[in-house]
Amino acid sequence: VPALATEPRFAQRLRERLEQQRLLDGRFQLQRVPGGRVALPVLEEKLSGLCLPAEMPCELLRIQDPLPRRAARRRPPAQRLQEELRRLLAAGWSGQLERDVPHAWQRLGDLVLLSEDSFRGAAWDALGSALWDTVASALGARRVARRGRVMPDGMRTPSVTLLLGQHGWVEHVDNGIRYTFDVTKCMFSPGNITEKLRVASLPCSGEVVVDLYAGIGYFTLPFLVHAGAAFVHACEWNSHAVEALHRSLLLNGVRDRCCIHRGDSRQLRDVADRVNLGLLPSSEEGWPAACRVLRKDRGGVLHIHHNVETRPAPQPAVLLAERRPPGTASSAGEAQRPTQDGGEGTPGARLRPEWQRWAEATATRIQGLLAKLHGRPWRSSVLHVEAVKSYAPHVHHLVLDLECRPVLP
């Protein structure tokens, strides 16, 4: 960083003069340099406009490791980014460019993942690698990537461009679980954190779980690390996700309690105490497989994910089903009712009529699938309906916890 060094007795006057001419670099402190002098950091792009009186002796030098001001260290990342870019562009800075600077991004380890519309336009393109070096420096990252649209290939493959760095593998810690994956090959959705936390709290001790759409381990890992599942069968057909899941299982020390089934899951039968169907917008195609893998002697619990459309007009509300101990669940289609109330998407939130109708219809269909598959009656009971998040206008990501048990003679 360039700086002007002067004798201590001139330091305050020099500082005032530099501030008047807007030459002072406010990111850094005044600091002592050899010879007992004081150095004031200045903006390099404005040195040509420097005008100081002759009675104020000073010398231009460079400070290799300038000390940041305390206020600068406390600046929000978005403000730091904008200030760094303003200095980079100098005279070319404009209000339009200022509006182009993102205020949010996803941080994954030492990589910053920018949104699809970040830094689009000829002015940004002209900066080349200097732009991404500046973004990384301002945000305290080493690598920068920008996401594109998710590819319509059935595996939700991300279209991500690596802008700075040699590879896309990252390690991200979420609820004490270490996930590793390649951002250019696999997605990581922070919006599912509430459901991952809920899965982590489920009473799965001693259970065998089948995760039909395991991906990189969104739910496989919480089942193993926190919920205490004895074993998880993780089914996934995306080879990049399989590799990521394998690495994450090793990172978390649970590889010996998980079998990864690549591709078709139909070889699994009669093994599960619990089945997770985490596919959106609908997991309906996996319902027959889920019924096959449930233990036919005693059944178990299905966690069924689905996007449900909701009418925008407010409707009379029914409280969300409350989890109850096995054996006290309602019959198919009857949602149990807690005493507490809450906001949408939280425990005790209100269940909209469309959500209850979907839960009832799903319970009835699953009950029919089980009876047809096993040749005897089954009962299905709604344990809980969880509103995870709003997926789109008037569309909500829901999870139905459905207890399924054979009717014994």
Side-chain angles (χ1 to χ4, degrees):
V1 173
L4 290 173
T6 188
E7 297 176 27
R9 59 196 177 104
F10 294 120
Q12 184 58 34
R13 290 174 56 196
L14 178 58
R15 178 173 184 167
E16 291 172 357
R17 180 60 66 95
L18 293 174
E19 287 177 340
Q20 288 172 3
Q21 297 181 35
R22 297 183 179 179
L23 297 174
L24 193 67
D25 192 335
R27 296 173 300 168
F28 305 108
Q29 301 180 33
L30 281 65
Q31 60 192 85
R32 296 278 182 176
V33 292
R37 296 174 300 169
V38 175
L40 293 87
V42 294
L43 297 170
E44 185 164 15
E45 65 270 16
K46 294 190 175 183
L47 279 175
S48 58
L50 182 63
C51 180
L52 297 174
E55 67 271 14
M56 194 179 294
C58 57
E59 176 189 2
L60 181 65
L61 52 79
R62 290 191 177 271
I63 304 175
Q64 295 300 321
D65 297 303
L67 299 174
R69 293 177 59 197
R70 292 179 182 177
R73 291 198 295 266
R74 293 195 300 267
R75 284 176 302 163
Q79 180 184 341
R80 264 199 322 270
L81 175 59
Q82 193 165 106
E83 290 174 357
E84 293 292 332
L85 291 171
R86 187 182 292 114
R87 290 188 182 90
L88 177 65
L89 284 154
W93 186 254
S94 67
Q96 180 57 52
L97 291 177
E98 185 170 341
R99 289 189 290 272
D100 287 345
V101 178
H103 288 82
W105 45 84
Q106 190 175 3
R107 183 66 181 259
L108 299 166
D110 67 352
L111 182 144
V112 167
L113 183 58
L114 302 171
S115 61
E116 180 183 354
D117 57 350
S118 298
F119 301 113
R120 296 292 190 182
W124 298 113
D125 293 341
L127 296 174
S129 61
L131 170 61
W132 311 123
D133 288 335
T134 301
V135 171
S137 175
L139 301 182
R142 293 185 177 181
R143 292 177 290 164
V144 180
R146 181 171 55 201
R147 73 180 66 201
R149 296 188 181 277
V150 176
M151 296 181 183
D153 57 1
M155 293 186 287
R156 291 187 59 77
T157 303
S159 175
V160 172
T161 303
L162 194 63
L163 304 167
L164 179 67
Q166 300 301 313
H167 64 86
W169 279 95
V170 299
E171 183 177 319
H172 181 68
V173 179
D174 190 274
N175 190 27
I177 297 172
R178 297 166 68 188
Y179 295 86
T180 185
F181 55 97
D182 185 340
V183 295
T184 67
K185 306 293 184 183
C186 303
M187 292 183 63
F188 186 88
S189 175
N192 290 335
I193 181 62
T194 57
E195 183 60 11
K196 285 184 282 186
L197 290 170
R198 194 177 76 91
V199 164
S201 69
L202 292 175
C204 301
S205 179
E207 291 186 350
V208 174
V209 178
V210 173
D211 191 357
L212 281 179
Y213 306 98
I216 65 172
Y218 283 127
F219 303 112
T220 294
L221 289 163
F223 274 123
L224 289 167
V225 175
H226 294 310
F231 198 85
V232 174
H233 294 276
C235 306
E236 178 55 48
W237 65 314
N238 182 334
S239 61
H240 302 297
V242 167
E243 173 64 18
L245 176 56
H246 172 74
R247 294 190 184 195
S248 294
L249 289 167
L250 291 173
L251 274 177
N252 290 279
V254 293
R255 185 66 183 89
D256 60 331
R257 291 162 48 213
C258 182
C259 178
I260 302 176
H261 300 269
R262 298 170 182 252
D264 198 343
S265 62
R266 285 178 291 186
Q267 68 268 30
L268 283 173
R269 288 179 180 270
D270 188 27
V271 296
D273 300 295
R274 192 179 296 267
V275 184
N276 192 64
L277 298 101
L279 182 66
L280 293 178
S282 173
S283 61
E284 188 172 347
E285 68 177 37
W287 294 359
C291 291
R292 282 194 300 270
V293 300
L294 272 182
R295 290 190 55 158
K296 61 183 179 182
D297 60 338
R298 65 187 188 200
V301 177
L302 306 181
H303 301 286
I304 303 171
H305 293 239
H306 196 82
N307 281 347
V308 177
E309 188 171 353
T310 307
R311 288 195 296 267
Q315 298 292 323
V318 180
L319 290 178
L320 272 176
E322 182 183 49
R323 183 175 304 284
R324 293 187 181 179
T328 64
S330 64
S331 59
E334 181 183 351
Q336 301 154 4
R337 304 182 182 188
T339 57
Q340 70 175 19
D341 200 0
E344 183 177 299
T346 62
R350 291 187 176 274
L351 180 62
R352 299 186 182 187
E354 294 90 345
W355 302 356
Q356 182 167 355
R357 284 196 291 271
W358 167 73
E360 292 171 352
T362 301
T364 300
R365 287 191 56 193
I366 293 292
Q367 185 170 292
L369 283 171
L370 286 163
K372 181 178 180 180
L373 179 65
H374 297 291
R376 59 171 172 167
W378 281 62
R379 62 180 176 84
S380 60
S381 306
V382 174
L383 295 177
H384 181 74
V385 178
E386 181 76 10
V388 178
K389 65 177 183 292
S390 176
Y391 192 84
H394 313 308
V395 178
H396 291 82
H397 174 186
L398 304 183
V399 182
L400 166 63
D401 295 348
L402 189 67
E403 184 181 39
C404 303
R405 304 293 180 189
V407 177
L408 300 177

